[in-house]
Amino acid sequence: MTGIIAFIIVFAVVVFIHELGHFMVAKWSGVRVREFAIGMGPKVVQLRRNGTTYTLRLLPLGGYVRMAGRGDIDAPEIQPGMTIVIVPEDNQVKRISLSSEMALIGGMAVTVDQADLVDALEIHGYLENDDTKRLTWSVDPDATMIEPNGTEVIIAPRATHLESASAWQRLLINFAGPLMNFILAVVLFFGLAFAMPSVTTTTVDQAQKNSPAYQAGIQHNDRITKLDGHQINNWQSMQTYIQTTTKNQVAVTFVRQGVVKTATVKVKKMTDQGQKYQMIGITARQSTSAADRVQYGIHTAGQAFTQIFHSIKDLIIRPDINKLGGPVSIFKTTSDVSSLGVLAVVSFMAWLSVNLGLINLFPIPALDGGKIVLNVIEILIRRPIPEKVENYVTAFGAVLLVILMIAVTWNDIARIFLR
């Protein structure tokens, strides 16, 4: 149960922050955000504030931002012959209901002949008990519409559509989601640095007796700065280098009492309970100082970005579905780290947030990165990309993502549960 709760919280927070980025920049750009949903599936509760309907949905996984425009595929259309309920006020329609389950105070039933809530902002039709006189009602640009599922959202005149924003504004809207994931990760890494009892430094606390480092002359209080000429800024990056090197020895550069020295240290291969690893036999000095905590936060965040970026680059160069993980894999990992405590879950959330941000910047249609590419093309050619072309590209990307998600999910299930 702890693993399930941790998974829901981690996944919800990371996706919520991502969507919050899109939401904030869209509002700033004048794009109407009709709904901000937390979770998926049937609506549980809704609240309207400043032109946006905030909904909490039944399945506590993810969420979405519903912007006005072509991408608002959930928006129902008012078709001729439909019977709707309108609430006129001050010679303008303020509320419209397409739901048969909700009654509106002061509402009147209208059989629609024609409706335009995008450009003309008018409804033409007949009162329910009088089909002899065709009437016209002007619609307030800020009127709301109750959809068949009961969700009440503001209408979307063309000037408020995503497509009406400039290419630069749309680019910023698309980039804002990944950016917020990066900001979340940095905040979490700094939070971890100050929440932990102490943080590791690159200064040696102890060289274990008869270990390769001890035999090479490395001592207590030596501050390691380089491995094989590569700059070392934190203990984790040093561990990663030693674990992944294919060399039998490494050149360790360190500072002792202000003097820079270099020692050649053998890499010892070990096996513990079937797990293979490499070591040189040193432990890190712990610190509780604010300066070291800040440095730890900076370097850990930098390491996360660098390591995940290189992993993605390796995936592109050498594609392998086993290098990808979907919701099943995330659930399994979250369940594993939840047994290690709250700090471990927060650390995983930070790494996952970086991962989600970078993956979303892939130049694949339907992802934020693919949309950004289209925005850049539009900026360069100085004219809008034809709607048909954009729709085809986006549809292709969506199909590709669905196929990839199915393949990754099945691979996760097979790898984790069936082997």
Side-chain angles (χ1 to χ4, degrees):
M1 181 59 73
T2 302
I4 295 175
I5 294 173
F7 169 72
I8 291 173
I9 293 173
V10 167
F11 201 77
V13 169
V14 171
V15 174
F16 169 77
I17 291 297
H18 180 94
E19 297 299 334
L20 183 62
H22 294 314
F23 168 80
M24 291 191 301
V25 180
K27 296 276 276 190
W28 169 78
S29 301
V31 175
R32 187 158 280 183
V33 180
R34 307 183 73 189
E35 181 184 358
F36 191 132
I38 300 174
M40 306 293 283
K43 171 177 58 67
V44 177
V45 66
Q46 66 179 0
L47 175 68
R48 290 190 61 251
R49 286 289 185 275
N50 299 321
T52 299
T53 300
Y54 300 88
T55 58
L56 181 65
R57 296 187 171 268
L58 184 62
L59 301 177
L61 298 175
Y64 57 88
V65 170
R66 182 178 159 191
M67 300 181 204
R70 294 199 302 265
D72 188 5
I73 57 177
D74 292 330
E77 294 185 4
I78 301 178
Q79 301 289 350
M82 289 179 59
T83 297
I84 64 174
V85 176
I86 63 173
V87 179
E89 183 181 326
D90 298 328
N91 298 318
Q92 283 191 318
V93 174
K94 301 292 186 180
R95 297 180 78 190
I96 305 166
S97 177
L98 308 186
S99 173
S100 59
E101 300 178 0
M102 295 185 66
L104 294 181
I105 298 175
M108 58 176 66
V110 171
T111 301
V112 177
D113 180 55
Q114 184 182 354
D116 183 352
L117 302 183
V118 175
D119 295 307
L121 298 182
E122 290 181 342
I123 296 174
H124 306 272
Y126 303 88
L127 293 176
E128 187 177 33
N129 298 322
D130 185 1
D131 60 0
T132 61
K133 187 176 181 181
R134 186 176 185 267
L135 301 174
T136 298
W137 291 271
S138 175
V139 181
D140 189 312
D142 295 324
T144 61
M145 179 167 62
I146 302 173
E147 300 177 329
N149 61 10
T151 304
E152 185 169 6
V153 296
I154 196 167
I155 65 170
R158 191 173 300 279
T160 66
H161 286 197
L162 177 63
E163 293 77 22
S164 296
S166 70
W168 276 108
Q169 288 174 321
R170 281 179 275 129
L171 187 152
L172 292 175
I173 291 170
N174 291 324
F175 181 68
L179 177 62
M180 283 294 286
N181 281 128
F182 300 149
I183 292 173
L184 171 64
V186 171
V187 169
L188 291 177
F189 281 127
F190 272 90
L192 281 170
F194 283 87
M196 293 188 299
S198 60
V199 295
T200 54
T201 67
T202 57
T203 300
V204 176
D205 181 58
Q206 180 183 8
Q208 298 166 5
K209 194 171 183 180
N210 297 324
S211 68
Y214 180 89
Q215 294 171 350
I218 294 178
Q219 303 174 7
H220 169 71
N221 274 344
D222 288 346
R223 181 169 58 85
I224 297 174
T225 58
K226 294 181 182 179
L227 292 178
D228 288 334
H230 299 284
Q231 191 73 33
I232 296 298
N233 295 316
N234 59 76
W235 189 261
Q236 289 72 24
S237 61
M238 182 167 61
Q239 286 181 313
T240 300
Y241 186 88
I242 292 172
Q243 291 298 327
T244 57
T245 186
T246 57
K247 299 178 180 179
N248 293 322
Q249 57 187 28
V250 294
V252 179
T253 301
F254 57 93
V255 178
R256 178 183 297 166
Q257 296 179 346
V259 180
V260 178
K261 299 186 176 186
T262 300
T264 300
V265 183
K266 291 182 179 179
V267 177
K268 189 173 183 179
K269 302 182 187 301
M270 305 284 289
T271 301
D272 182 19
Q273 296 181 350
Q275 297 293 320
K276 295 182 179 180
Y277 64 96
Q278 300 181 153
M279 51 86 77
I280 60 174
I282 55 176
T283 57
R285 190 178 73 185
Q286 302 289 317
S287 173
T288 59
S289 75
D292 284 333
R293 290 181 187 276
V294 170
Q295 189 176 39
Y296 178 90
I298 293 172
H299 291 152
T300 305
Q303 182 189 11
F305 280 90
T306 302
Q307 190 169 322
I308 292 173
F309 176 79
H310 286 303
S311 296
I312 293 174
K313 185 175 72 173
D314 179 67
L315 176 64
I316 295 172
I317 296 172
R318 290 178 288 273
D320 184 353
I321 195 171
N322 289 312
K323 296 177 182 177
L324 292 171
V328 175
S329 179
I330 295 173
F331 170 73
K332 177 64 167 59
T333 306
T334 308
S335 296
D336 292 342
V337 300
S338 65
S339 64
L340 303 177
V342 174
L343 294 182
V345 173
V346 173
S347 178
F348 173 69
M349 185 189 298
W351 281 80
L352 180 63
S353 193
V354 175
N355 205 326
L356 178 64
L358 288 175
I359 287 293
N360 261 281
L361 288 177
F362 263 36
I364 297 176
L367 288 181
D368 293 326
K371 296 174 185 176
I372 290 172
V373 169
L374 293 177
N375 299 146
V376 171
I377 292 173
E378 185 174 332
I379 291 170
L380 292 176
I381 65 176
R382 298 184 178 181
R383 65 178 184 273
I385 295 173
E387 180 180 342
K388 185 177 293 186
V389 172
E390 189 171 344
N391 288 342
Y392 281 142
V393 170
T394 303
F396 170 77
V399 171
L400 183 65
L401 284 178
V402 169
I403 294 173
L404 183 61
M405 182 58 70
I406 292 173
V408 169
T409 301
W410 172 250
N411 188 62
D412 283 347
I413 294 172
R415 184 177 63 222
I416 296 171
F417 298 108
L418 301 183
R419 291 180 184 175

